Amino acid sequence: MCGIIGYIGTKNATPILFNGLKRLEYRGYDSAGIVTLDKEFHMKKDVGKVDEINTRLNFSDLPGTLGIAHTRWATHGGVTKENAHPHTDCEGKIAVVHNGIIENYQELKKNLVSNGHKFKSQTDTEVIPHLIEEIMKRGKNFHDSTLSALRSLEGSYAILALHKNERKIVAARKGSPLVIGVADGSYFAASDIPAFLEHTKNVVYMHDSDVALLTDTGMKVFSLLEGGDVNRKVDTVDWDIRQAEKGEFNHFMLKEISEQVETVQKAVQQTKEVVDGVVHSIRNAHGIFLIASGTSYHACLAASYILSKLNKMHVNVVLASEFPHYEHFLTPKTLVVAVSQSGETADVLEAVKYAKARGCKILSIVNVVGSSLTRTSDSFLNLNAGPEICVLATKSYTSQLALFTLLAYALSGKLEEGKKRLNYLWNVIYHLTSATVKEKIKELAEKLKNKEHIFLIGRGLEYTTALEAALKIKEVSYIHAEAFAGGELKHGPIALVEDGTPCIVFVSEETEKEILSNANEIKSRGGYIIGVSPTNNEVFDFWLKVPEANNENPIVQIIPIQILAYQLAVLRGLDPDHPRNLAKSVTVK
Ligand code: M6R
């Protein structure tokens, strides 16, 4: 987590770094800092969000056309000014920003301290500038010292390093994302493309263990793995800067929820050749694992129900962080489908590494092409949802569901029928995200905003929707929300129901009879029933109407709850784009 950005060029660096940081804030927002260089370093850093710090410290007077910046999601050391990046060496000649975790920092720090180095923070990052300083003392130049320092780091990093006497940025990555932006006479290096998208669409995806040297005259990449200079090609992204801006919306969350009218369609715009290729690998696999974390995991769970229904196919769905426990079942004929919006989730990458080591084939489903996951996979499918900035996954979830559903249709030889059904959903989503529906959901949010608990139930496919809906509510409104399979209530959870306990019930044609009977059991114990259903029912105290969409129910039923979660956060005075303690890309294990 954490976001980093660097710039070298002819323009004033601070506005570029400041705007970049704001676009990277979804990665962490507990403290931030910028250092620029002209004849000397000029640095400001503090705790808080980028705008708050700017109000207090005013970044705009930092001079120079070269600089690096950081927005933090704390891992090592509390949220303090001292722990905010950039970090410097003893003499203040080297400045570093870092995203990732240096696992052997304690050992390195111990050695450096015994060599007389004075540390100012509790972070793991601070060992990096001190290490470079220590190596430089032995006569090596800044670039070579940085390469040597990187060789002794264990763990993951994307770093940008500056030396006070040199007009260059050393940018390196291992396990954490870093992309280079190339424009006329200037270079950018950042955790993600939107950070510099307003300046250039030309990008170089750094490979793992690449170290780039960015100067006024060019860019050179050295590979720590290959042990020499390497060529990395410049790609052009077709993202539009407007996709990375809020536009008329108050928050990215609401913008991205509304974008689902189009993103579901974009997800299924896959060529027949691509789909046929995936269908072929699925059919030829002996054992299929779907692995993911968080919301992407819920999409995999839904997919397992859809594949069982449409294709009578069994797949294993495993949380990425739990995957290594399946070691004994993996063979070179196993297909591992790794699903991740960012393509940078450490748990997913680790699980993939594990599977690759056992010879498994890796197919990934991602939203960020060029991410670590796409590069480490044998093949990948692009969700095409455009940048998802809000920490909460919304549009990427429905895109994952749409793509899985399309594959399920394709596997039963009904690709065109699947495309047609999924394309038709734009109509339904358009209605569900309309002002009238949002008003109705706001009415419900008013009733729920002071509740301590919300329960959610569903059966079959709708159980997976209940799980995702609970995650959405809890992570943005901080109301305890918990999902149960309808049939499990009587095995324990019903003991939690009290007078007025809200319970959201997801109803489909297939599960109607049984889930409504569960709703009645809750109601007779005082529960307040909210039905997400095609038809009204006397058991509902509040009805959110959604059309029956059969296999596509997960796509349509989650949308009102995404809006509800958003409204709850706003009514509780919270910032939906920046929920506490969370970051968009979880690049730590
Ligand atoms: O980028 P990924 O899809 O791999 O991210 C996985 C989870 O970290 C992510 O879905 C997380 O649970 C979100 N906060 C959900 O809204």
Side-chain angles (χ1 to χ4, degrees):
M1 340 246 262
C2 300
I4 62 175
I5 175 160
Y7 170 75
I8 178 165
T10 50
K11 294 185 184 153
N12 190 359
T14 307
I16 293 169
L17 298 174
F18 179 74
N19 288 334
L21 279 187
K22 288 184 55 166
R23 291 193 197 285
L24 288 170
E25 259 193 326
Y26 70 89
R27 304 178 64 85
Y29 31 83
D30 57 44
S31 50
I34 298 180
V35 63
T36 58
L37 175 66
D38 52 6
K39 289 191 182 68
E40 52 185 326
F41 280 151
H42 304 273
M43 179 155 83
K44 290 188 184 180
K45 61 180 188 176
D46 207 346
V47 297
K49 290 191 186 154
V50 180
D51 270 331
E52 291 163 9
I53 303 172
N54 191 39
T55 310
R56 284 196 301 274
L57 303 183
N58 183 24
F59 284 121
S60 72
D61 58 12
L62 293 171
T65 53
L66 161 62
I68 55 176
H70 185 274
T71 177
R72 180 169 188 243
W73 187 86
T75 55
H76 292 66
V79 180
T80 62
K81 182 178 172 179
E82 292 67 37
N83 289 335
H85 300 216
H87 289 287
T88 52
D89 62 324
C90 296
E91 292 190 33
K93 285 186 176 169
I94 297 158
V96 170
V97 293
H98 164 225
N99 167 34
I101 288 185
I102 307 303
E103 285 164 4
N104 59 339
Y105 84 101
Q106 281 174 325
E107 185 191 325
L108 293 169
K109 188 169 175 175
K110 211 166 130 199
N111 287 339
L112 288 161
V113 168
S114 69
N115 281 333
H117 289 259
K118 298 267 182 294
F119 280 73
K120 302 174 279 288
S121 78
Q122 288 84 49
T123 63
D124 51 339
T125 304
E126 201 187 338
V127 296
I128 306 172
H130 288 281
L131 206 52
I132 301 172
E133 178 184 36
E134 182 62 26
I135 301 167
M136 284 187 82
K137 274 191 209 159
R138 294 174 216 149
K140 275 196 181 173
N141 66 27
F142 170 55
H143 181 246
D144 290 344
S145 303
T146 308
L147 290 182
S148 303
L150 293 173
R151 286 194 179 95
S152 43
L153 302 181
E154 285 166 21
S156 63
Y157 57 76
I159 69 149
L160 303 176
L162 297 184
H163 190 284
K164 202 176 144 189
N165 302 334
E166 305 195 22
R167 217 185 128 72
K168 60 177 67 139
I169 300 176
V170 181
R173 68 156 291 187
K174 186 184 147 211
S176 297
L178 191 63
V179 253
I180 307 295
V182 184
D184 258 0
S186 49
Y187 290 94
F188 306 80
S191 306
D192 205 349
I193 297 167
F196 55 70
L197 191 58
E198 64 185 296
H199 307 287
T200 182
K201 289 185 177 186
N202 299 329
V203 303
V204 175
Y205 297 107
M206 302 263 287
H207 293 201
D208 240 14
S209 298
D210 275 359
V211 186
L213 182 64
L214 309 177
T215 63
D216 290 308
T217 49
M219 162 180 174
K220 236 170 103 173
V221 184
F222 180 88
S223 165
L224 286 173
L225 269 185
E226 294 166 40
D229 289 346
V230 285
N231 272 328
R232 299 289 179 231
K233 76 173 182 2
V234 181
D235 281 315
T236 303
V237 291
D238 62 1
W239 287 3
D240 187 322
I241 187 61
R242 276 169 305 176
Q243 292 179 297
E245 281 170 350
K246 280 192 283 218
E248 84 248 33
F249 294 91
N250 287 338
H251 298 99
F252 279 110
M253 182 172 176
L254 196 58
K255 178 182 180 242
E256 287 159 7
I257 290 172
S258 307
E259 281 174 359
Q260 293 173 113
V261 176
E262 288 149 25
T263 50
V264 166
Q265 287 193 322
K266 284 192 180 156
V268 298
Q269 278 169 11
Q270 310 284 342
T271 64
K272 188 169 177 329
E273 293 66 47
V274 167
V275 176
D276 284 349
V278 173
V279 165
H280 178 80
S281 354
I282 293 177
R283 285 211 180 111
N284 286 298
H286 288 201
I288 298 174
F289 284 81
L290 309 186
I291 56 165
S293 306
T295 289
S296 301
Y297 169 72
H298 294 149
C300 292
L301 277 181
S304 72
Y305 279 89
I306 296 169
L307 289 165
S308 76
K309 263 175 84 178
L310 274 178
N311 312 96
K312 310 265 172 292
M313 175 181 279
H314 170 74
V315 292
N316 305 279
V317 185
V318 190
L319 281 166
S321 55
E322 291 292 315
F323 187 70
H325 303 293
Y326 279 82
E327 173 177 10
H328 306 299
F329 305 120
L330 303 176
T331 75
K333 289 193 167 170
T334 309
L335 175 69
V336 169
V337 183
V339 184
S340 171
Q341 186 284 132
S342 61
E344 298 293 348
T345 300
D347 288 326
V348 176
L349 295 175
E350 192 64 23
V352 164
K353 195 169 151 195
Y354 200 86
K356 280 185 83 159
R358 281 144 190 88
C360 308
K361 284 272 167 301
I362 314 292
L363 162 70
S364 58
I365 299 185
V366 290
N367 194 36
V368 183
V369 176
S371 57
S372 304
L373 186 55
T374 57
R375 278 205 305 276
T376 190
S377 306
D378 297 295
S379 57
F380 70 88
L381 287 171
N382 182 359
L383 291 170
N384 273 318
E388 190 177 63
I389 310 284
C390 176
V391 167
L392 278 85
T394 53
K395 61 175 179 174
S396 62
Y397 177 62
T398 47
S399 294
Q400 289 163 348
L401 292 172
L403 196 41
F404 269 129
T405 311
L406 185 77
L407 291 178
Y409 279 107
L411 275 159
S412 31
K414 295 179 183 162
L415 174 63
E416 286 315 312
E417 182 191 328
K419 266 200 181 162
K420 217 159 132 194
R421 286 183 64 93
L422 289 154
N423 274 327
Y424 168 76
L425 290 181
W426 80 264
N427 216 341
V428 177
I429 302 172
Y430 185 75
H431 170 69
L432 289 174
T433 52
S434 66
T436 332
V437 175
K438 280 181 190 152
E439 263 319 297
K440 171 103 176 146
I441 297 174
K442 197 166 174 198
E443 222 181 283
L444 175 63
E446 287 284 358
K447 291 180 196 291
L448 301 184
K449 69 180 183 204
N450 295 320
K451 296 285 181 190
E452 274 182 53
H453 310 281
I454 297 177
F455 297 125
L456 304 97
I457 59 167
R459 283 174 177 256
L461 261 180
E462 285 64 58
Y463 168 50
T464 66
T465 306
L467 288 167
E468 170 58 10
L471 177 62
K472 287 289 91 74
I473 294 173
K474 77 179 99 170
E475 66 181 337
V476 76
S477 73
Y478 315 150
I479 296 173
H480 168 229
E482 203 172 339
F484 304 107
E488 283 300 292
L489 275 177
K490 56 188 179 294
H491 297 292
I494 202 158
L496 295 166
V497 177
E498 293 174 345
D499 216 21
T501 303
C503 182
I504 300 176
V505 182
F506 294 94
V507 185
S508 67
E509 236 167 40
E510 198 185 319
T511 61
E512 185 176 8
K513 227 170 120 211
E514 287 165 321
I515 202 72
L516 288 181
S517 128
N518 296 138
N520 272 303
E521 288 156 13
I522 296 173
K523 184 145 178 150
S524 41
R525 284 156 182 88
Y528 178 83
I529 306 296
I530 300 134
V532 179
S533 163
T535 47
N536 203 351
N537 189 281
E538 60 185 13
V539 72
F540 298 156
D541 295 294
F542 199 100
W543 177 38
L544 287 173
K545 186 176 178 181
V546 291
E548 172 64 43
N550 303 303
N551 299 321
E552 290 80 66
N553 271 338
I555 300 175
V556 301
Q557 292 199 347
I558 194 62
I559 290 172
I561 308 303
Q562 292 173 340
I563 299 171
L564 175 67
Y566 171 79
Q567 307 274 23
L568 284 170
V570 172
L571 289 175
R572 286 162 70 91
L574 304 168
D575 176 355
D577 286 341
H578 301 117
R580 70 181 177 209
N581 305 338
L582 297 180
K584 182 74 180 163
S585 308
V586 187
T587 53
V588 293
K589 274 190 269 165

